[in-house]
Amino acid sequence: MFWRRKKDEEAPAEPTEVEADEPAVESAEPEPEPAAVEPEAQPESVAAPEPPAPAEAEQPAPRPGALWGPGIGPPPPEVAAAFDLGLARTRGALVGRLRSVFRGDQTDWDEVEETLIAADVGAALSMEVVERARKRRDEDPETDVRSELQALLVDRAPGWEPQSAAGGGPAIVLVVGVNGTGKTTTIGKLAARYKAEGHRVLLAAGDTFRAAAIDQLRVWADRAGVEIVAHKPDADPGAVVYDALDAAIARGADIVIADTAGRLHTKSNLMDELSKIRRIIDKRLPGAAPETLFVIDATTGQNGLAQAKAFNDAVGLTGVVLTKLDSTAKGGIVFAIEHELEVPVRFVGVGEKIDDLLPFDPEAFVNALFGEV
């Protein structure tokens, strides 16, 4: 063996037994440099291979021109703060009064019920909330009432947005409601929001019965920086929507938002017009799943809820937009809407600015409502 070199030089060479798997070494030959010899690998000294690092979840790429959304992040803090400010009046009237009732040793549940009714939760629903809250006794009366109110809000998938039509066609949003609720303004703010998220948006001026509605929508299209398809006043609304879909497909638009004539639910001819528009969408984009959003003025309270019920029965609503929430102390109407219609509130308007239309988050809503008064 090579390590015996010096010992072999000092003593007379004796016959050595060479293992069968090693070559014999003559002492007269110079020993190679140790670095040139690779030691025989020992199986037990081989380290086990390290497990591969877990693959990181692939982040979605941001849309071109997006200010927030996938791959970028949530809206800036000042936008989120607007939600809290928009509930200031309701928070003071509802939660402030409730907390004054809860301060004593004994809770006056009749006054709790009156407070909920005053906030437009509704008489029958307020009675149910109080009855269930009294039975809970989990922590304290405020927590019990808060839990019961939150349970009225319908479940929804996070990150909702209108779905594109089959085959890559644009998503379609029909906006319906009564004149004076902020319907056209809501469309302009929706367009601005989707544009900020990087979508290409096209508006359809389907409210042809009111000439001012077309001009108003043109102004909002300019403010939001989006395209619009419009015909002359008194034109067929179905034709406007059909042409808007054609234009959206040709231009590669992602979302079409269609205005419709403001109408009372008692006007059967106008309600039939909505059904006709739905049939035209099905004909032009088979398999499309248009969203139908009903706009409610929060200051109208239970009257607005009655209108929403009629529209839901007639055309089938998929969501609600609650405007002017910052102008009322009766924000409890949110609980009544979701419980009675079983339709989610998708957006709430909390101001006059173009970015004051915010996505409705049930948990954030309840947290802001029961925040510091």
Side-chain angles (χ1 to χ4, degrees):
M1 301 291 290
F2 295 128
W3 55 271
R4 292 181 174 177
R5 180 174 178 271
K6 286 192 177 182
K7 186 175 180 181
D8 292 343
E9 290 176 353
E10 295 173 357
E14 295 182 1
T16 57
E17 184 177 349
V18 180
E19 297 179 4
D21 59 345
E22 291 184 356
V25 179
E26 296 182 6
S27 60
E29 294 181 1
E31 183 183 5
E33 293 293 331
V37 178
E38 296 183 3
E40 187 176 350
Q42 301 296 327
E44 62 274 9
S45 64
V46 178
E50 296 183 2
E56 295 184 2
E58 185 177 351
Q59 296 296 322
R63 300 185 184 96
L67 302 180
W68 59 75
I72 298 176
E78 56 268 23
V79 175
F83 195 73
D84 185 68
L85 292 174
L87 286 173
R89 292 190 178 186
T90 298
R91 184 165 53 245
L94 173 59
V95 179
R97 184 176 171 185
L98 283 177
R99 286 176 178 165
S100 67
V101 177
F102 295 145
R103 284 195 184 101
D105 295 334
Q106 296 293 327
T107 299
D108 186 342
W109 288 103
D110 288 338
E111 190 170 350
V112 172
E113 183 180 318
E114 292 173 6
T115 302
L116 294 175
I117 294 173
D120 251 340
V121 175
L125 189 55
S126 295
M127 291 176 62
E128 292 178 22
V129 169
V130 167
E131 184 178 352
R132 290 195 294 265
R134 294 182 70 171
K135 293 178 179 178
R136 291 180 68 105
R137 297 181 179 178
D138 293 339
E139 298 181 36
D140 56 79
E142 179 179 330
T143 303
D144 294 337
V145 171
R146 173 175 177 162
S147 298
E148 288 301 329
L149 286 174
Q150 186 155 5
L152 299 175
L153 303 176
V154 301
D155 294 332
R156 68 207 73 204
W160 170 88
E161 63 179 26
Q163 296 300 306
S164 300
I172 306 164
V173 178
L174 294 178
V175 182
V176 302
V178 178
N179 284 330
T181 58
K183 179 170 57 70
T184 308
T185 299
T186 295
I187 292 172
K189 291 182 176 182
L190 274 177
R193 182 173 191 87
Y194 287 132
K195 173 73 179 297
E197 292 178 357
H199 294 286
R200 184 168 183 177
V201 182
L202 187 143
L203 304 184
D207 186 355
T208 60
F209 296 101
R210 187 170 63 95
I214 300 174
D215 295 335
Q216 187 181 2
L217 197 63
R218 288 186 192 276
V219 171
W220 274 107
D222 289 339
R223 288 184 64 184
V226 301
E227 300 166 276
I228 182 172
V229 171
H231 289 189
K232 294 180 179 180
D234 296 323
D236 180 3
V240 176
V241 172
Y242 191 95
D243 288 349
L245 295 178
D246 271 352
I249 294 170
R251 303 172 193 177
D254 301 310
I255 299 177
V256 174
I257 306 176
D259 191 9
T260 61
R263 67 206 71 202
L264 292 172
H265 53 282
T266 55
K267 300 291 185 181
S268 59
N269 61 322
L270 292 179
M271 298 298 282
D272 291 342
E273 188 68 43
L274 287 176
S275 299
K276 177 184 174 183
I277 291 174
R278 295 287 292 269
R279 292 194 299 271
I280 287 173
I281 293 172
D282 291 339
K283 179 180 179 181
R284 183 62 186 85
L285 287 175
E291 297 285 344
T292 304
L293 302 183
F294 183 76
V295 180
I296 298 180
D297 180 344
T299 63
T300 63
Q302 293 293 315
N303 185 44
L305 176 58
Q307 296 169 354
K309 286 180 180 179
F311 272 82
N312 192 34
D313 292 340
V315 297
L317 304 178
T318 61
V320 170
V321 180
L322 193 62
T323 63
K324 308 176 187 178
L325 187 60
D326 58 314
S327 302
T328 181
K330 298 187 176 184
I333 190 65
V334 171
F335 300 107
I337 290 170
E338 296 217 357
H339 178 73
E340 296 291 338
L341 300 181
E342 296 184 350
V343 170
V345 173
R346 292 300 188 190
F347 295 93
V348 291
V350 295
E352 297 296 328
K353 295 185 294 184
I354 197 169
D355 57 357
D356 283 340
L357 185 71
L358 306 178
F360 181 78
D361 181 292
E363 185 175 356
F365 174 76
V366 175
N367 288 343
L369 190 59
F370 282 83
E372 293 297 325
V373 178

